[in-house]
Amino acid sequence: MLHLTSASTGDTAMALPPDAAFASANSLERSTPAANGLVKSTGVVELPHKTVRRITCMGSGFVGGPTSAVIAYKSDVEVTVVDINSDRISAWKSKSLPIYEPGLDQIVQAARAGVIPTQDRDSRGANAGFDHITLDRRAKLVFSTDVDQAIVDADLIFVCVNTPTKAHGIGKGSAADLDFVEAATRNIARVATQDKIVVEKSTVPCRTAQSIREILAANAHPGVRFDVLSNPEFLAEGTAIRDLLNPDRIIIGSMPTPAGYRAAATLAGVYEQWVPRERIITMNLWSSELSKLAANAMLAQRISSVNALSAICEATGADVDEVSYACGLDSRIGSQMLKAGPGFGGSCFQKDIFNIVYLSESLHLYEIADYWRAVINMNEHQKQRFTKRIISCLYNNLAGKRLAVLGFAFKKDTSDTRESPAITLVSNFVAERARVAIYDPRVREDQIWRELVNHGGDAEMLKRNVSVCRTAYEACLAADAVVIMTEWDEFSNKSTARTTVKREDRRPLASLNVNSSTRAYASTRGADHEVSETLSSPKLDRSASFQVPSRKSTGVVIKDPSNGEIKTFTSQRPSSGSSPLQSPVGLSASFQSPTRQIPGLRSGYVNVLHNGTLISAQQLPGESLTSAGFPAGRETAAATDMLHFAAASSIEERIQAMDITPKAATPVRLDWARIASGMRKPMFVFDGRNILDHGKLEALGFRVEAIGKKGTVMSE
């Protein structure tokens, strides 16, 4: 493994002659952590390489879209995302993105506007807590259907197309269908007239890169060279933006040749603009490809393991949450992915395990194939076991009974329904002639119908027996039972507890620096999601300060250092009954007393307000943030909002162009007493995600059953 730096300052960096660099690389690779069993970096090698200025991403799905947005947002690279699906591209250009992922809409808006962040680092190289962002006058993230032109323009091409499981022929049900990968590869070879780096980002079977290399070489124009890299993604849906901003590792696989190492260094140079160098690891192509499959297989294995234990817990009276908690305290095991549930879903786990099964069988490793197939079998068993428990508790008869299914996405904080356990359970309920009412806060109705039909459901029967509801209360009205299938926060009735998050997770997602002489910082509080942004303007006296207050107010506040007066601009009309600070003054001046409205507001500083209270002040220009009432350097919770500043020649134009992105409100928790008042008796709740306080529900008269626990009925 090589830990690479990108030492380029122009198109090509010549830190070492090519031969010397290759010799150094070979020497270093022979003493890597992988070779010697070390756990620390053995050094850094500088290689001559090109600087990437334009990237094309082929595919705009759950991988291509977010990955491209973050690269455009965090680097100085222009990224074009292309797809042959014009409807999907139109959605990416709109305010209603085709996928839901927390923070994605803010990142996409910033990248489309040309916002470029750079990180402050302290003396130890750690992130100091704020990102300064400059406003470029060109879009850095573009969505297009012009695939050929994007290939021509690119220095580097990401292949992020779909690789579903084959539905026909040899390998049906287990092998990966690489039709889209091959089509994209042939298109690149047909169009490209200059050398390109092609990066395999889709999850593919081991040694797929060899096929890509052969297709490119056989179809390339004379004199055109292609270097192929593997750069698998390790994103968890629901936290994909955080995973991209603060990745555990970046894996880059390359051929063990001078050209291969230079190509790897080129891609590393893109990531180095925000990812620490020690997290960027290179290895050979085949190891890189297999590492993605292996990671997902091991994660899925943990889920199937705890789900297997959940059956034992139900039979013995043990509590699976307590068992998994005890196991997770062991540092050798850890607590991640030990939550029992109705089975894993999503596009990756099952597909990637099937890839390993097929690969093992192809290599005549049948015992290995059987081992990994057992992980899938346990997952399917868990879905059927939960179904049978529900039927048993409802007196072995679902015919004519109304079941409210809360959640259809395979996990919370995503709109992805691929392989969701809810698909199987709803299909089972319909087969038992139950009437099913489904509610999910993020999944579209047409998506739910499509998944149920694709699972083998009869369209006419589904229409008669299934309804998709707009609210949870509508779904639960007159229901015999409620089935929790997705762990959305709004469904839980457990008391919220303060949790500790890692330092890198507490940084603002975005803090804006409008141009070289204009600074902005973001401050939020995660509990109520209020956000405040600060702004100083080069158009006015440098000693004046500006403040965009919290979400409860709607403007820019300026304290005039000459007379202490506050001047307020607003760009939208606030709600009725607002305070004087929130008055709808348009772009005209409104003066108020600083001591009465904002105690402690300082002239000559950028003042940071939080919940109407001054918490910090930034002296201009650019000195360290000092706090008023809090320790110096105090961090704030991760920002969930961002201001989008369009290029404008005056502060008034900037205010008019300001677009405060509406964020999703903090979800209101379900009123389970209200649900109980509208259900049929006896009332059942089947907690498939263990997110409910059973005692509270039982006090309301519910009979509660949960995976891995003895329920009300079983205890009687």
Side-chain angles (χ1 to χ4, degrees), residues 138-164:
R138 57 182 168 78
K140 295 176 64 261
L141 179 64
V142 176
F143 296 94
S144 173
T145 56
D146 192 346
V147 178
D148 290 359
Q149 187 60 52
I151 291 172
V152 171
D153 294 341
D155 302 312
L156 183 148
I157 301 170
F158 282 140
V159 178
C160 295
V161 297
N162 193 20
T163 54

Side-chain angles (χ1 to χ4, degrees), residues 309-320 385-386 388-395 683-687 690 694 698 702-716:
L309 290 171
S310 73
I312 299 176
C313 290
E314 292 170 20
T316 61
D319 186 318
V320 72
R385 197 174 68 81
F386 192 37
K388 291 177 181 178
R389 184 173 179 184
I390 292 170
I391 295 173
S392 176
C393 290
L394 292 174
Y395 315 111
M683 304 177 298
F684 289 86
V685 173
F686 297 95
D687 185 5
N690 284 312
H694 296 183
E698 289 167 355
F702 286 101
R703 297 186 179 187
V704 185
E705 301 291 319
I707 288 177
K709 301 179 182 182
K710 273 197 171 183
T712 306
V713 176
M714 295 179 65
S715 299
E716 292 176 348

Side-chain angles (χ1 to χ4, degrees), residues 28-49:
L28 183 61
E29 189 168 33
R30 287 193 294 271
S31 60
T32 57
N36 293 333
L38 303 177
V39 295
K40 61 182 181 180
S41 172
T42 56
V44 176
V45 61
E46 295 182 355
L47 295 174
H49 64 275

Side-chain angles (χ1 to χ4, degrees), residues 519 521 602 604-606 617-626:
R519 291 187 179 276
Y521 296 102
R602 303 180 67 180
Y605 285 73
V606 174
Q618 170 71 44
Q619 189 171 18
L620 297 177
E623 295 184 8
S624 299
L625 185 69
T626 58

Side-chain angles (χ1 to χ4, degrees), residues 409-465:
F410 83 92
K411 62 183 290 189
K412 74 172 186 176
D413 291 335
T414 181
S415 58
D416 194 354
T417 58
R418 289 175 290 182
E419 304 295 341
S420 172
I423 301 170
T424 299
L425 266 79
V426 169
S427 299
N428 290 343
F429 298 155
V430 173
E432 293 289 330
R433 300 300 188 267
R435 294 180 294 114
V436 183
I438 303 170
Y439 167 72
D440 190 287
R442 288 291 177 180
V443 179
R444 300 188 313 271
E445 180 175 350
D446 64 313
Q447 189 175 345
I448 292 175
W449 291 117
R450 184 169 57 251
E451 291 285 13
L452 292 174
V453 171
N454 290 343
H455 189 69
D458 178 82
E460 292 301 320
M461 180 179 289
L462 288 171
K463 289 180 180 178
R464 289 195 304 267
N465 294 283

Side-chain angles (χ1 to χ4, degrees), residues 576-588:
S576 60
S578 58
S579 66
L581 186 60
Q582 298 171 284
S583 59
V585 295
L587 293 180
S588 60

Side-chain angles (χ1 to χ4, degrees), residues 90-98 105 109 112 659-662:
S90 296
W92 278 109
K93 292 179 178 180
S94 71
K95 290 186 178 180
S96 300
L97 302 185
D105 52 351
Q109 284 193 21
R112 287 193 312 211
D659 175 21
I660 301 178
T661 304

